[in-house]
């Protein structure tokens, strides 16, 4: 009789003794919020000298024999050029030997280059130090690679948004700190003093865990036995169609991401080098403090609104990038027409809106591209195109300013932003094809 027992009863009797096979694992970030904030904080303090001292090259170079600071423009982009060359290589090495090790290497390399720059007694020695800063540094790409190995999806894009916030904060506050210390210590010698910051960051990073990927936490077996298991297994399949439209927009071409990164950095950075000259031309007698605040406004806008923008656009980053480039185009064009302080404030804030939308939505696209790819190599390549955009922007700004004055760089950036809007907006507005709409109504 027992051999002919009903199948349902046999399954019911065997189920208590059978091991509970876990359902599909739920990913849990391998890094907690405090650790992510620690990485961003380490990048903030380590980038103080890298971002705060280059604006003072016109004061540093006369001490080294260049009385007219004629090499300032070239030396300004030297670290950027060599950082672009080295970023992909360091990224691939991080994937092979460990992201934490390569992040430590970047911080220690930055400290070494700062010490050499602070001790340099000639233009040649100072140039070598800046070359080493570019080659041995790369803390931003190394930090992103470290985060990308442990986080994914919205967690990663939120962490990348926080990293950009650290960069914006350093860009705003570092020149203020350097200028405040100048009466007691020359900007040249501050390089050696500020080498303490990446050394401190290296000590903090040494206490962090190695980023080895996203941990999987098994879910508990749902109550109700095999029938509940079957229902739980069918639930994701039923939800795939509902989430399809959202995922469609998040799929980003890697080459498209590289092109957008280059165009974004080019169109924004091209306005930086000669902004102060443009302000003095349009509003004579403007104090350095007011000019500095105008320079910082777009970055302050990012610090104020980045996380809100991430919440609003993390499911539609392509649309956010298109809107960002549109705001950049309008803001840069407004620079060419502004002749009052109020107008300049307005166009700088509009540029800040575009900067915020672009940086946040590019971070979302980068986190999407990171799925299934080695994070070190990916973020190293992204950094290459970002640095390349900055280098070409500096060269274009110098050429345009020498030929047509300080208005030319902002108009060049406007043209690049308009072209990018045209290339990005149409796909963003046509994400739902007629076929996808028919599929939706057929359900």
């Amino acid at each position: 009789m027992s051999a002919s027992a009903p199948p349902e009863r046999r399954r019911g009797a065997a189920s208590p003794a059978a091991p509970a096979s876990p359902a599909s694992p739920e990913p849990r970030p391998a890094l907690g919020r405090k650790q992510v904030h620690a990485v961003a904080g380490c990048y903030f303090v380590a980038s103080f000298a890298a971002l705060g001292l280059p604006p003072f090259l016109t004061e540093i170079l006369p001490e080294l024999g260049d009385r007219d600071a004629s090499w300032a423009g070239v030396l300004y982009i030297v670290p950027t050029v060599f950082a672009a060359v080295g970023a992909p290589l360091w990224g691939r090495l991080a994937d092979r030997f460990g992201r934490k090790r390569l992040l430590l290497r970047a911080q220690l390399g930055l400290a070494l280059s700062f010490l050499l720059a602070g001790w340099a007694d000639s233009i040649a020695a100072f140039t070598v130090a800046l070359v080493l800063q570019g080659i041995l540094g790369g803390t931003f790409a190394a930090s992103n690679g470290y985060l990308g190995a442990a986080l994914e999806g919205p967690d990663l894009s939120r962490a990348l948004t926080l990293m950009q916030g650290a960069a914006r904060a350093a860009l705003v506050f570092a020149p203020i700190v350097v200028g405040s210390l100048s009466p007691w210590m020359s900007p040249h010698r501050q390089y050696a003093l500020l080498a303490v910051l990446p050394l401190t960051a290296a000590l903090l990073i040494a206490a962090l865990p190695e980023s080895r990927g996203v941990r999987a936490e098994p879910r508990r077996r749902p109550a109700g036995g095999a029938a509940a298991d079957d229902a739980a297994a069918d639930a994701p399949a039923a939800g795939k169609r509902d989430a399809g439209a959202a995922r469609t927009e998040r799929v980003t071409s890697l080459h498209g991401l590289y092109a957008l990164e280059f165009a974004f950095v080019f169109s924004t950075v091209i306005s930086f080098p000669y902004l102060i000259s443009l302000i003095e031309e349009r509003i004579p007698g403007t104090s350095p403090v007011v000019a500095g605040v105008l320079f910082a406004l777009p970055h302050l806008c990012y610090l104020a609104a980045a996380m809100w923008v991430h919440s609003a656009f993390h499911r539609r980053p392509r649309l956010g990038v298109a809107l960002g480039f549109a705001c950049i185009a309008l803001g840069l064009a407004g620079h060419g027409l502004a002749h009052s302080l109020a107008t300049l404030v307005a166009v700088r804030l509009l540029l800040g809106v575009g900067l915020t939308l672009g940086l946040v939505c590019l971070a979302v696209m980068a986190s999407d591209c990171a799925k299934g790819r080695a994070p070190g190599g990916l973020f190293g390549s992204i950094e290459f195109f970002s640095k390349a955009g900055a280098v070409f922007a500096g060269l274009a700004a110098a050429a345009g300013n020498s030929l047509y004055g300080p208005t030319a760089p902002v108009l060049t950036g406007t043209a690049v932003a308009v072209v990018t809007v045209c290339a990005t907006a149409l796909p963003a507005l046509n994400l739902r094809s007629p076929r996808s709409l028919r599929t939706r109504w057929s359900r």
Side-chain angles (χ1 to χ4, degrees):
M1 287 296 291
S2 61
S4 61
E8 292 78 11
R9 186 173 179 180
R10 286 201 310 269
R11 285 196 300 267
S15 58
S21 58
S24 58
E26 290 180 348
R28 183 178 62 180
L31 293 179
R33 179 177 297 181
K34 291 182 179 179
Q35 294 165 325
V36 172
H37 288 180
V39 174
C42 288
Y43 173 72
F44 171 75
V45 299
S47 60
F48 242 69
L51 297 177
L53 284 168
F56 295 88
L57 283 176
T58 52
E59 298 182 22
I60 294 174
L61 295 183
E63 298 180 16
L64 300 174
D66 184 8
R67 296 181 180 179
D68 300 326
S70 56
W71 286 93
V74 175
L75 294 181
Y76 193 93
I77 64 172
V78 162
T80 306
V81 171
F82 285 92
V85 173
L89 173 62
W90 289 124
R92 288 192 293 270
L93 290 176
D95 292 326
R96 182 174 180 180
F97 297 106
R99 289 97 188 178
K100 178 180 174 180
R101 291 180 182 177
L102 271 292
L103 180 54
L104 283 170
R105 177 216 56 80
Q107 298 286 6
L108 294 175
L110 208 58
L112 174 63
S113 64
F114 290 165
L115 286 173
L116 294 176
W119 293 338
D121 56 0
S122 66
I123 292 289
F126 188 73
T127 302
V128 170
L130 295 182
V131 170
L132 291 176
Q133 177 187 327
I135 295 176
L136 300 179
T139 53
F140 189 73
S143 299
N144 287 346
Y146 177 84
L147 295 171
L151 304 172
E152 63 181 11
D155 291 324
L156 177 56
S157 61
R158 195 176 296 110
L160 298 179
T161 300
L162 182 64
M163 286 293 299
Q164 284 288 353
R168 302 304 115 189
L171 195 60
V172 170
F173 296 111
I176 297 174
V177 173
V178 172
S180 301
L181 291 175
S182 295
W184 295 276
M185 179 179 290
S186 70
H188 177 209
R189 299 306 178 191
Q190 286 187 44
Y191 266 105
L193 173 65
L194 295 180
V196 174
L197 296 179
L199 286 175
T200 304
L203 292 176
L204 295 175
I205 290 169
L208 294 176
E210 177 61 80
S211 56
R212 300 185 183 277
V214 178
R215 296 196 300 263
E217 182 176 323
R219 293 187 302 191
R220 293 181 180 178
R221 181 183 179 90
D229 282 345
D230 294 340
D234 291 340
K240 283 183 179 179
R241 294 187 297 270
D242 296 332
R247 285 200 310 273
T248 298
E249 188 176 359
R250 292 177 62 84
V251 175
T252 306
S253 164
L254 189 58
H255 292 89
L257 175 63
Y258 293 157
L260 288 173
E261 185 75 24
F262 179 92
F264 177 82
V265 173
F266 182 94
S267 58
T268 52
V269 171
I270 196 171
S271 67
F272 293 175
Y274 299 99
L275 178 66
I276 303 301
S277 300
L278 180 65
I279 294 172
E280 293 175 351
E281 179 185 275
R282 299 300 172 82
I283 313 175
T286 302
S287 68
V289 175
V290 173
V293 171
L294 288 172
F295 179 87
L297 273 180
H299 309 295
L300 293 173
C301 183
Y302 181 93
L303 294 175
M307 288 304 174
W308 179 86
V309 170
H310 182 275
S311 299
F313 285 93
H314 75 277
R315 292 190 179 276
R316 40 186 182 273
R318 201 172 185 84
L319 177 60
V321 166
L323 292 175
F325 274 104
C327 291
I328 290 170
L330 293 173
L332 290 177
H335 282 66
L337 303 173
H339 287 83
S340 67
L341 180 60
T343 309
L344 273 174
V345 169
V347 298
R348 294 297 290 170
L349 288 175
L350 184 58
L351 181 63
V353 172
L355 183 80
T356 305
L357 281 167
L359 286 173
V360 171
C361 293
L362 285 172
V364 175
M365 289 182 171
S367 69
D368 182 79
C369 286
K371 296 175 182 176
R373 291 188 172 95
L378 172 67
F379 288 106
S381 298
I382 292 175
E383 187 73 357
F384 170 81
F385 285 96
S386 174
K387 298 298 187 186
V391 170
F392 279 95
L395 296 175
N401 180 74
S402 63
L403 293 174
Y404 304 107
T407 305
V410 295
L411 296 182
T412 304
T414 301
V416 173
V418 168
V419 170
T420 311
V421 168
C422 296
T424 309
L426 291 179
L429 295 175
N430 292 281
L431 286 170
R432 291 187 177 182
S433 63
R435 181 179 178 183
S436 66
L437 291 176
R438 286 197 301 271
T439 303
R440 180 181 176 185
W441 283 109
S442 66
R443 300 201 308 270

